[in-house]
Coordinates of all heavy atoms in Angstrom, one line a residue:
M510 N 143.8 99.5 118.3 CA 142.5 99.1 118.0 C 141.6 99.2 119.2 O 142.0 98.8 120.3 CB 142.5 97.7 117.5 CG 141.1 97.1 117.3 SD 140.8 96.1 115.9 CE 141.8 96.8 114.6
S511 N 140.4 99.7 119.1 CA 139.5 99.9 120.2 C 138.8 98.6 120.6 O 138.7 97.7 119.7 CB 138.5 101.0 119.9 OG 137.7 100.6 118.8
A512 N 138.4 98.5 121.8 CA 137.7 97.3 122.2 C 136.2 97.4 121.8 O 135.7 98.4 121.5 CB 137.7 97.2 123.8
A513 N 135.6 96.2 121.7 CA 134.2 96.2 121.3 C 133.3 96.9 122.3 O 133.5 96.7 123.5 CB 133.7 94.7 121.1
N514 N 132.4 97.7 121.9 CA 131.5 98.4 122.7 C 130.1 97.7 122.6 O 129.4 97.9 121.6 CB 131.4 99.9 122.3 CG 130.5 100.7 123.2 OD1 129.7 100.2 124.0 ND2 130.6 102.0 123.0
P515 N 129.7 97.0 123.7 CA 128.4 96.3 123.6 C 127.2 97.3 123.5 O 126.2 96.9 122.9 CB 128.3 95.5 124.9 CG 129.6 95.7 125.6 CD 130.4 96.7 124.9
E516 N 127.4 98.5 123.9 CA 126.3 99.5 123.8 C 126.0 99.9 122.3 O 124.9 100.3 122.0 CB 126.6 100.8 124.6 CG 126.7 100.6 126.1 CD 125.3 100.2 126.7 OE1 124.3 100.7 126.3 OE2 125.3 99.2 127.5
R517 N 127.0 99.7 121.5 CA 126.9 99.9 120.0 C 126.5 98.6 119.3 O 126.4 98.6 118.1 CB 128.2 100.4 119.5 CG 128.5 101.8 119.7 CD 129.7 102.2 118.9 NE 129.6 103.5 118.5 CZ 130.6 104.3 118.2 NH1 131.8 103.8 118.3 NH2 130.5 105.5 117.8
G518 N 126.4 97.5 120.0 CA 126.1 96.2 119.4 C 127.3 95.6 118.8 O 127.2 94.7 118.0
E519 N 128.5 96.0 119.2 CA 129.7 95.5 118.7 C 130.1 94.2 119.3 O 129.7 93.9 120.5 CB 130.8 96.5 118.9 CG 130.7 97.8 118.1 CD 131.7 98.8 118.5 OE1 132.5 98.7 119.5 OE2 131.8 99.8 117.7
A520 N 130.9 93.4 118.6 CA 131.4 92.1 119.1 C 132.9 92.1 118.7 O 133.3 92.7 117.8 CB 130.7 91.0 118.6
A521 N 133.7 91.3 119.5 CA 135.1 91.2 119.2 C 135.4 89.8 118.7 O 134.8 88.8 119.2 CB 135.9 91.5 120.4
L522 N 136.4 89.6 117.8 CA 136.8 88.3 117.3 C 138.3 88.4 117.1 O 138.9 89.3 116.6 CB 136.1 88.1 115.9 CG 136.4 86.8 115.2 CD1 135.8 85.6 116.0 CD2 135.9 86.8 113.8
R523 N 139.0 87.3 117.6 CA 140.4 87.2 117.4 C 140.7 86.7 115.9 O 140.2 85.8 115.5 CB 141.0 86.2 118.3 CG 141.0 86.5 119.8 CD 141.9 87.6 120.2 NE 143.3 87.3 120.0 CZ 144.3 88.1 120.1 NH1 144.1 89.4 120.4 NH2 145.6 87.7 120.0
V524 N 141.6 87.5 115.3 CA 142.1 87.2 113.9 C 143.6 87.2 114.0 O 144.1 88.3 114.1 CB 141.5 88.1 112.9 CG1 142.0 87.8 111.5 CG2 140.0 88.1 112.9
G525 N 144.2 86.1 113.9 CA 145.7 86.1 114.0 C 146.0 86.5 115.4 O 145.5 86.1 116.4
G526 N 146.9 87.5 115.5 CA 147.3 88.0 116.8 C 146.5 89.2 117.2 O 146.9 89.9 118.2
A527 N 145.5 89.6 116.5 CA 144.8 90.9 116.8 C 143.3 90.6 117.1 O 142.8 89.5 116.7 CB 144.8 91.8 115.6
T528 N 142.7 91.5 117.8 CA 141.3 91.4 118.0 C 140.6 92.4 117.1 O 141.0 93.6 117.1 CB 141.0 91.7 119.5 OG1 141.6 90.7 120.3 CG2 139.5 91.7 119.7
V529 N 139.7 92.0 116.3 CA 139.0 92.9 115.4 C 137.6 93.2 116.0 O 137.0 92.3 116.7 CB 138.9 92.4 114.0 CG1 140.2 92.2 113.4 CG2 138.1 91.1 113.9
V530 N 137.1 94.3 115.7 CA 135.7 94.7 116.2 C 134.8 94.6 115.0 O 135.0 95.1 113.9 CB 135.8 96.2 116.8 CG1 134.3 96.6 117.1 CG2 136.7 96.2 118.0
L531 N 133.6 94.0 115.3 CA 132.5 93.9 114.3 C 131.4 94.8 114.8 O 130.9 94.7 115.9 CB 132.1 92.4 114.2 CG 133.2 91.4 113.9 CD1 132.6 90.0 113.9 CD2 133.8 91.7 112.6
R532 N 131.0 95.7 113.9 CA 130.0 96.7 114.3 C 128.9 96.6 113.2 O 129.1 96.9 112.0 CB 130.5 98.1 114.3 CG 129.5 99.1 114.6 CD 130.0 100.5 114.5 NE 131.0 100.8 115.5 CZ 131.7 101.9 115.6 NH1 131.6 102.8 114.6 NH2 132.6 102.1 116.5
P533 N 127.7 96.2 113.6 CA 126.6 96.1 112.6 C 125.9 97.4 112.3 O 124.8 97.7 112.7 CB 125.6 95.1 113.3 CG 125.8 95.4 114.8 CD 127.3 95.7 114.9
S534 N 126.7 98.3 111.7 CA 126.1 99.6 111.3 C 125.1 99.5 110.2 O 125.1 98.4 109.5 CB 127.2 100.6 110.9 OG 127.8 100.1 109.7
F535 N 124.4 100.5 109.9 CA 123.4 100.5 108.8 C 124.1 100.2 107.5 O 123.7 99.3 106.7 CB 122.7 101.8 108.7 CG 121.8 101.9 107.5 CD1 120.5 101.2 107.5 CD2 122.1 102.6 106.4 CE1 119.7 101.3 106.4 CE2 121.3 102.7 105.3 CZ 120.1 102.0 105.3
A536 N 125.2 100.9 107.2 CA 126.0 100.7 106.0 C 126.5 99.2 105.9 O 126.4 98.6 104.8 CB 127.1 101.7 105.9
A537 N 127.0 98.7 107.0 CA 127.5 97.3 107.0 C 126.4 96.3 106.7 O 126.6 95.4 105.9 CB 128.2 97.0 108.3
L538 N 125.2 96.5 107.3 CA 124.1 95.6 107.1 C 123.5 95.7 105.7 O 123.1 94.7 105.1 CB 123.1 95.8 108.2 CG 123.5 95.5 109.6 CD1 122.4 95.7 110.6 CD2 124.0 94.0 109.7
V539 N 123.5 96.9 105.2 CA 123.0 97.0 103.8 C 124.0 96.3 102.8 O 123.5 95.6 101.9 CB 122.9 98.5 103.4 CG1 122.7 98.7 101.9 CG2 121.7 99.1 104.1
A540 N 125.3 96.4 103.1 CA 126.3 95.7 102.2 C 126.1 94.2 102.4 O 126.2 93.5 101.4 CB 127.7 96.2 102.6
A541 N 125.9 93.7 103.6 CA 125.8 92.3 103.9 C 124.5 91.8 103.2 O 124.5 90.7 102.5 CB 125.7 92.0 105.3
E542 N 123.4 92.6 103.3 CA 122.2 92.2 102.6 C 122.3 92.1 101.1 O 121.8 91.2 100.5 CB 121.1 93.1 103.0 CG 119.7 92.7 102.6 CD 118.6 93.5 103.2 OE1 118.7 94.8 103.1 OE2 117.7 93.0 103.8
G543 N 123.1 93.0 100.6 CA 123.3 93.0 99.1 C 124.0 91.8 98.7 O 123.8 91.3 97.5
E544 N 124.9 91.2 99.5 CA 125.6 90.0 99.1 C 124.8 88.7 99.5 O 124.8 87.8 98.8 CB 127.0 90.0 99.8 CG 127.7 88.7 99.5 CD 129.0 88.6 100.3 OE1 129.6 89.6 100.7 OE2 129.5 87.5 100.4
L545 N 124.3 88.8 100.7 CA 123.7 87.5 101.4 C 122.2 87.4 101.3 O 121.7 86.3 101.6 CB 124.2 87.5 102.8 CG 125.7 87.6 103.1 CD1 125.9 87.8 104.6 CD2 126.4 86.3 102.5
G546 N 121.6 88.4 100.8 CA 120.1 88.3 100.7 C 119.5 89.0 101.9 O 120.2 89.5 102.8
P547 N 118.1 89.0 102.0 CA 117.4 89.6 103.1 C 117.9 89.2 104.5 O 118.1 88.0 104.7 CB 116.0 89.2 102.9 CG 115.9 88.9 101.4 CD 117.2 88.3 101.0
L548 N 118.1 90.1 105.3 CA 118.7 89.8 106.7 C 117.7 89.0 107.5 O 118.2 88.1 108.3 CB 119.0 91.1 107.4 CG 120.1 92.0 106.7 CD1 120.3 93.2 107.5 CD2 121.4 91.2 106.7
F549 N 116.4 89.2 107.3 CA 115.5 88.4 108.1 C 115.6 86.9 107.7 O 115.6 86.0 108.6 CB 114.1 88.9 108.0 CG 113.1 88.2 108.9 CD1 113.1 88.6 110.3 CD2 112.2 87.2 108.5 CE1 112.3 87.9 111.2 CE2 111.4 86.6 109.4 CZ 111.4 87.0 110.7
A550 N 115.8 86.6 106.4 CA 116.0 85.3 106.0 C 117.3 84.7 106.5 O 117.4 83.5 106.9 CB 116.0 85.2 104.5
L551 N 118.3 85.5 106.6 CA 119.6 85.1 107.2 C 119.4 84.7 108.6 O 119.9 83.7 109.1 CB 120.6 86.3 107.0 CG 122.0 86.0 107.5 CD1 122.8 85.3 106.4 CD2 122.7 87.3 107.9
V552 N 118.7 85.5 109.4 CA 118.4 85.2 110.8 C 117.6 83.9 110.9 O 117.9 83.0 111.7 CB 117.7 86.4 111.5 CG1 117.2 86.0 112.9 CG2 118.6 87.6 111.5
E553 N 116.7 83.7 110.0 CA 115.9 82.5 110.0 C 116.7 81.3 109.7 O 116.6 80.2 110.4 CB 114.7 82.5 109.0 CG 113.6 83.4 109.5 CD 112.5 83.5 108.5 OE1 112.7 83.3 107.3 OE2 111.3 83.6 108.9
R554 N 117.6 81.4 108.7 CA 118.5 80.3 108.4 C 119.4 79.9 109.6 O 119.7 78.8 110.0 CB 119.4 80.6 107.2 CG 118.6 80.5 105.9 CD 119.5 80.5 104.7 NE 120.4 81.6 104.5 CZ 120.1 82.8 104.1 NH1 118.8 83.0 103.7 NH2 121.0 83.7 103.9
A555 N 119.9 81.0 110.3 CA 120.8 80.8 111.4 C 120.0 80.1 112.6 O 120.5 79.1 113.2 CB 121.4 82.1 111.9
A556 N 118.8 80.5 112.8 CA 118.0 79.9 113.9 C 117.7 78.4 113.6 O 117.6 77.6 114.5 CB 116.7 80.7 114.0
A557 N 117.6 78.1 112.3 CA 117.3 76.7 111.9 C 118.5 75.9 111.7 O 118.4 74.7 111.4 CB 116.5 76.7 110.6
G558 N 119.7 76.5 112.0 CA 120.9 75.8 111.8 C 121.4 75.6 110.4 O 122.2 74.8 110.1
G559 N 120.9 76.5 109.5 CA 121.2 76.4 108.1 C 122.1 77.5 107.6 O 122.2 77.6 106.4
L560 N 122.7 78.2 108.5 CA 123.6 79.3 108.0 C 124.9 78.7 107.6 O 125.5 77.9 108.4 CB 123.8 80.3 109.1 CG 124.5 81.6 108.8 CD1 123.7 82.4 107.8 CD2 124.9 82.4 110.0
S561 N 125.4 79.0 106.4 CA 126.7 78.4 106.0 C 127.9 79.2 106.6 O 127.7 80.3 107.0 CB 126.7 78.4 104.5 OG 126.9 79.8 104.0
L562 N 129.0 78.5 106.6 CA 130.2 79.2 107.0 C 130.5 80.4 106.2 O 130.9 81.5 106.7 CB 131.4 78.2 107.0 CG 132.8 78.7 107.4 CD1 132.7 79.2 108.9 CD2 133.8 77.6 107.3
G563 N 130.3 80.3 104.9 CA 130.5 81.4 104.0 C 129.6 82.6 104.3 O 130.1 83.8 104.2
E564 N 128.4 82.3 104.7 CA 127.5 83.4 105.0 C 127.9 84.1 106.3 O 127.8 85.3 106.5 CB 126.0 82.9 105.2 CG 125.4 82.5 103.9 CD 124.0 81.9 104.0 OE1 123.9 81.0 104.9 OE2 123.1 82.2 103.3
M565 N 128.3 83.3 107.3 CA 128.8 83.8 108.6 C 130.0 84.7 108.3 O 130.0 85.9 108.8 CB 129.2 82.7 109.5 CG 129.7 83.3 110.9 SD 130.4 82.0 112.0 CE 129.1 80.8 112.0
V566 N 131.0 84.3 107.6 CA 132.2 85.1 107.3 C 131.8 86.3 106.5 O 132.3 87.4 106.7 CB 133.2 84.2 106.6 CG1 134.4 85.1 106.1 CG2 133.8 83.1 107.6
G567 N 130.8 86.2 105.6 CA 130.4 87.3 104.8 C 129.8 88.4 105.7 O 130.1 89.6 105.6
L568 N 129.0 88.0 106.7 CA 128.4 89.0 107.6 C 129.5 89.6 108.4 O 129.5 90.8 108.6 CB 127.3 88.3 108.5 CG 126.7 89.2 109.5 CD1 125.9 90.3 108.9 CD2 125.8 88.3 110.4
F569 N 130.4 88.8 108.9 CA 131.5 89.3 109.7 C 132.3 90.3 108.9 O 132.7 91.4 109.4 CB 132.4 88.2 110.2 CG 131.9 87.3 111.3 CD1 130.6 87.5 111.8 CD2 132.6 86.3 111.8 CE1 130.1 86.7 112.8 CE2 132.2 85.5 112.8 CZ 130.9 85.6 113.3
W570 N 132.6 90.0 107.7 CA 133.4 90.8 106.8 C 132.8 92.2 106.6 O 133.5 93.2 106.7 CB 133.6 90.1 105.4 CG 134.4 91.0 104.5 CD1 134.0 91.6 103.4 CD2 135.8 91.2 104.5 NE1 135.0 92.3 102.8 CE2 136.2 92.0 103.5 CE3 136.8 90.8 105.4 CZ2 137.5 92.4 103.2 CZ3 138.1 91.2 105.2 CH2 138.4 92.0 104.1
H571 N 131.5 92.2 106.4 CA 130.8 93.5 106.1 C 130.7 94.3 107.4 O 130.7 95.5 107.4 CB 129.5 93.3 105.5 CG 129.5 92.8 104.1 ND1 130.0 93.6 103.1 CD2 129.2 91.6 103.5 CE1 130.0 93.0 101.9 NE2 129.5 91.8 102.2
C572 N 130.8 93.7 108.6 CA 130.6 94.4 109.8 C 132.0 94.7 110.5 O 132.0 95.4 111.5 CB 129.8 93.5 110.8 SG 128.1 93.4 110.4
L573 N 133.1 94.4 109.8 CA 134.4 94.8 110.3 C 134.5 96.3 110.5 O 134.1 97.1 109.6 CB 135.5 94.3 109.4 CG 136.0 92.9 109.5 CD1 137.0 92.6 108.4 CD2 136.6 92.7 110.8
H574 N 135.0 96.7 111.6 CA 135.2 98.1 111.9 C 136.7 98.4 112.2 O 137.2 97.7 113.1 CB 134.3 98.5 113.1 CG 134.5 100.0 113.5 ND1 134.0 101.0 112.7 CD2 135.1 100.5 114.6 CE1 134.3 102.1 113.3 NE2 135.0 101.9 114.4
D575 N 137.3 99.3 111.5 CA 138.7 99.6 111.7 C 139.6 98.3 111.7 O 140.4 98.1 112.6 CB 139.0 100.3 113.0 CG 138.4 101.8 112.9 OD1 138.2 102.3 111.8 OD2 138.1 102.3 114.0
A576 N 139.4 97.5 110.6 CA 140.2 96.3 110.5 C 141.7 96.6 110.3 O 142.0 97.6 109.7 CB 139.7 95.5 109.3
P577 N 142.6 95.7 110.7 CA 144.0 95.9 110.5 C 144.3 96.0 109.0 O 143.6 95.3 108.2 CB 144.6 94.6 111.1 CG 143.6 94.0 112.0 CD 142.3 94.4 111.4
A578 N 145.2 96.9 108.7 CA 145.6 97.0 107.3 C 146.0 95.7 106.7 O 146.7 94.9 107.3 CB 146.7 98.0 107.2
G579 N 145.6 95.4 105.5 CA 146.0 94.2 104.8 C 145.2 93.0 105.1 O 145.4 91.9 104.5
L580 N 144.2 93.1 106.1 CA 143.4 91.9 106.4 C 142.5 91.6 105.2 O 141.9 92.4 104.6 CB 142.5 92.2 107.6 CG 141.6 91.0 108.0 CD1 142.4 89.8 108.5 CD2 140.6 91.5 109.1
T581 N 142.5 90.3 104.8 CA 141.7 89.9 103.7 C 140.5 89.0 104.2 O 140.5 88.5 105.3 CB 142.5 89.0 102.7 OG1 142.9 87.8 103.4 CG2 143.7 89.7 102.2
R582 N 139.5 88.9 103.4 CA 138.4 88.1 103.7 C 138.8 86.6 103.9 O 138.3 86.0 104.8 CB 137.3 88.2 102.6 CG 136.0 87.6 103.0 CD 135.0 88.0 102.0 NE 133.7 87.3 102.2 CZ 132.6 87.8 101.8 NH1 132.5 88.9 101.1 NH2 131.5 87.1 102.0
A583 N 139.7 86.2 103.1 CA 140.2 84.8 103.3 C 140.9 84.6 104.7 O 140.7 83.6 105.3 CB 141.2 84.4 102.2
Q584 N 141.6 85.6 105.1 CA 142.3 85.5 106.4 C 141.2 85.5 107.5 O 141.4 84.8 108.5 CB 143.2 86.7 106.6 CG 144.5 86.6 105.8 CD 145.3 87.9 105.8 OE1 144.7 89.0 105.9 NE2 146.6 87.7 105.7
L585 N 140.2 86.3 107.4 CA 139.1 86.3 108.3 C 138.4 84.9 108.4 O 138.2 84.4 109.5 CB 138.1 87.4 108.0 CG 136.9 87.5 108.9 CD1 137.3 87.9 110.3 CD2 135.9 88.5 108.3
G586 N 138.2 84.4 107.2 CA 137.6 83.0 107.2 C 138.4 82.0 107.8 O 137.9 81.1 108.6
E587 N 139.7 82.0 107.6 CA 140.7 81.1 108.2 C 140.7 81.2 109.7 O 140.7 80.3 110.4 CB 142.1 81.2 107.6 CG 142.2 80.7 106.2 CD 142.0 79.2 106.2 OE1 142.4 78.4 107.1 OE2 141.3 78.8 105.2
A588 N 140.6 82.5 110.2 CA 140.6 82.7 111.6 C 139.3 82.1 112.3 O 139.4 81.6 113.3 CB 140.7 84.2 111.9
V589 N 138.2 82.2 111.6 CA 136.9 81.7 112.1 C 137.1 80.1 112.1 O 136.7 79.5 113.1 CB 135.7 82.1 111.2 CG1 134.5 81.3 111.5 CG2 135.5 83.6 111.3
V590 N 137.7 79.5 111.1 CA 137.8 78.1 111.1 C 138.8 77.7 112.2 O 138.6 76.7 112.9 CB 138.3 77.6 109.7 CG1 138.7 76.1 109.7 CG2 137.2 77.8 108.7
L591 N 139.9 78.4 112.3 CA 140.9 78.0 113.3 C 140.4 78.2 114.7 O 140.7 77.4 115.6 CB 142.2 78.8 113.1 CG 143.0 78.5 111.9 CD1 144.2 79.5 111.8 CD2 143.6 77.1 112.0
G592 N 139.6 79.2 115.0 CA 139.0 79.4 116.3 C 137.9 78.5 116.6 O 137.6 78.3 117.8
G593 N 137.3 78.0 115.6 CA 136.2 77.1 115.8 C 134.8 77.8 115.9 O 134.8 79.0 116.3
L594 N 133.8 77.0 115.7 CA 132.4 77.6 115.8 C 132.1 78.0 117.2 O 131.3 78.9 117.4 CB 131.4 76.6 115.2 CG 131.5 76.4 113.7 CD1 130.4 75.4 113.3 CD2 131.3 77.7 113.0
S595 N 132.7 77.4 118.2 CA 132.4 77.7 119.6 C 132.8 79.2 119.9 O 132.2 79.8 120.7 CB 133.1 76.8 120.6 OG 134.5 76.9 120.5
R596 N 133.8 79.7 119.2 CA 134.3 81.1 119.4 C 133.5 82.0 118.5 O 133.3 83.2 118.8 CB 135.7 81.3 119.1 CG 136.6 80.7 120.2 CD 138.0 81.2 120.1 NE 138.8 80.7 121.2 CZ 140.1 80.6 121.2 NH1 140.8 81.0 120.1 NH2 140.8 80.2 122.2
A597 N 133.1 81.6 117.3 CA 132.4 82.4 116.3 C 130.9 82.6 116.7 O 130.4 83.6 116.4 CB 132.6 81.9 114.9
T598 N 130.3 81.6 117.3 CA 128.9 81.6 117.5 C 128.5 82.7 118.4 O 127.5 83.4 118.1 CB 128.4 80.2 118.1 OG1 128.7 79.2 117.1 CG2 126.9 80.2 118.4
P599 N 129.2 83.0 119.5 CA 128.7 84.2 120.4 C 128.8 85.5 119.6 O 128.0 86.4 119.8 CB 129.7 84.2 121.5 CG 130.2 82.8 121.6 CD 130.2 82.3 120.2
V600 N 129.8 85.6 118.7 CA 129.9 86.9 117.9 C 128.7 86.9 116.9 O 128.1 88.0 116.8 CB 131.3 86.8 117.1 CG1 131.4 88.0 116.2 CG2 132.4 86.8 118.1
L601 N 128.4 85.8 116.3 CA 127.3 85.8 115.4 C 126.0 86.1 116.1 O 125.2 86.9 115.6 CB 127.2 84.4 114.8 CG 126.0 84.1 113.8 CD1 126.1 85.1 112.6 CD2 125.9 82.7 113.4
R602 N 125.9 85.6 117.3 CA 124.7 85.8 118.1 C 124.5 87.3 118.4 O 123.4 87.9 118.3 CB 124.7 85.0 119.5 CG 123.5 85.1 120.2 CD 123.5 84.2 121.5 NE 123.7 82.8 121.1 CZ 124.6 82.0 121.5 NH1 125.5 82.4 122.4 NH2 124.7 80.7 121.1
V603 N 125.6 88.0 118.7 CA 125.5 89.5 119.0 C 125.0 90.2 117.7 O 124.1 91.0 117.8 CB 126.9 90.0 119.4 CG1 126.9 91.5 119.4 CG2 127.2 89.5 120.8
L604 N 125.6 89.9 116.6 CA 125.2 90.5 115.3 C 123.8 90.2 114.9 O 123.1 91.2 114.6 CB 126.2 90.1 114.2 CG 127.7 90.5 114.4 CD1 128.5 90.1 113.2 CD2 127.8 92.0 114.6
L605 N 123.4 89.0 115.1 CA 122.0 88.6 114.7 C 121.0 89.3 115.7 O 119.9 89.7 115.3 CB 121.8 87.1 114.7 CG 122.6 86.4 113.6 CD1 122.4 84.9 113.8 CD2 122.2 86.8 112.3
G606 N 121.4 89.4 116.9 CA 120.6 90.1 117.9 C 120.4 91.5 117.6 O 119.3 92.1 117.7
Q607 N 121.4 92.2 117.1 CA 121.3 93.6 116.6 C 120.5 93.7 115.4 O 119.7 94.7 115.3 CB 122.7 94.2 116.4 CG 123.5 94.4 117.7 CD 122.7 95.3 118.6 OE1 122.3 96.4 118.2 NE2 122.5 94.9 119.8
I608 N 120.6 92.8 114.5 CA 119.7 92.8 113.3 C 118.2 92.8 113.7 O 117.4 93.5 113.2 CB 120.1 91.6 112.4 CG1 121.4 91.8 111.7 CG2 119.0 91.5 111.3 CD1 122.0 90.7 111.0
L609 N 117.9 91.9 114.7 CA 116.5 91.8 115.1 C 116.0 92.9 116.0 O 114.9 93.4 115.9 CB 116.3 90.5 115.8 CG 116.4 89.2 114.9 CD1 116.4 88.0 115.8 CD2 115.3 89.2 113.9
A610 N 116.9 93.4 116.9 CA 116.5 94.3 117.9 C 116.8 95.7 117.6 O 116.2 96.7 118.1 CB 117.1 93.9 119.3
G611 N 117.9 96.0 116.9 CA 118.4 97.3 116.7 C 119.1 97.8 117.9 O 119.3 97.1 118.9
R612 N 119.4 99.1 117.9 CA 120.1 99.7 119.1 C 119.1 100.4 119.9 O 118.3 101.1 119.5 CB 121.2 100.6 118.7 CG 122.4 99.8 118.1 CD 123.5 100.7 117.8 NE 123.7 100.7 116.4 CZ 124.4 101.5 115.7 NH1 125.0 102.5 116.2 NH2 124.5 101.4 114.4

């Protein structure tokens, strides 16, 4: 698995024994928006402290790049919970920054 490339707006997250790369590509963000609603509203909820754990995991799920075979969304969610919000928040910040700023 490749390491996250900050020049692409990527972020890394530990899931089980592996590090997964999250890449906010156009296709990923369109899929996330289809499920979670307008991205600007998602950013506003996050800024106000109103982003739910499910929304965070949903955004992460859609932004997964070259995920390990067999990884499920439930496993990703459990990894976020096990790692705690202190580990997930910097990843979320990178993705939200890319939503607002682009590359």
Side-chain angles (χ1 to χ4, degrees):
M510 169 138 332
S511 61
N514 180 348
E516 294 297 317
R517 282 187 148 154
E519 295 174 346
L522 181 70
R523 292 289 295 169
V524 176
T528 299
V529 297
V530 173
L531 305 175
R532 179 186 293 170
S534 67
F535 176 75
L538 295 178
V539 167
E542 189 171 50
E544 176 185 340
L545 304 170
L548 295 178
F549 191 73
L551 183 83
V552 171
E553 286 181 328
R554 286 194 303 280
L560 190 68
S561 73
L562 180 60
E564 289 174 315
M565 180 189 309
V566 171
L568 179 62
F569 288 2
W570 179 253
H571 290 292
C572 290
L573 275 174
H574 177 71
D575 290 338
L580 178 67
T581 67
R582 188 168 176 160
Q584 291 169 325
L585 177 63
E587 285 298 318
V589 169
V590 170
L591 288 173
L594 291 179
S595 64
R596 285 192 178 162
T598 300
V600 174
L601 178 64
R602 189 174 297 127
V603 168
L604 297 180
L605 295 177
Q607 288 302 307
I608 289 169
L609 290 173
R612 288 184 246 167

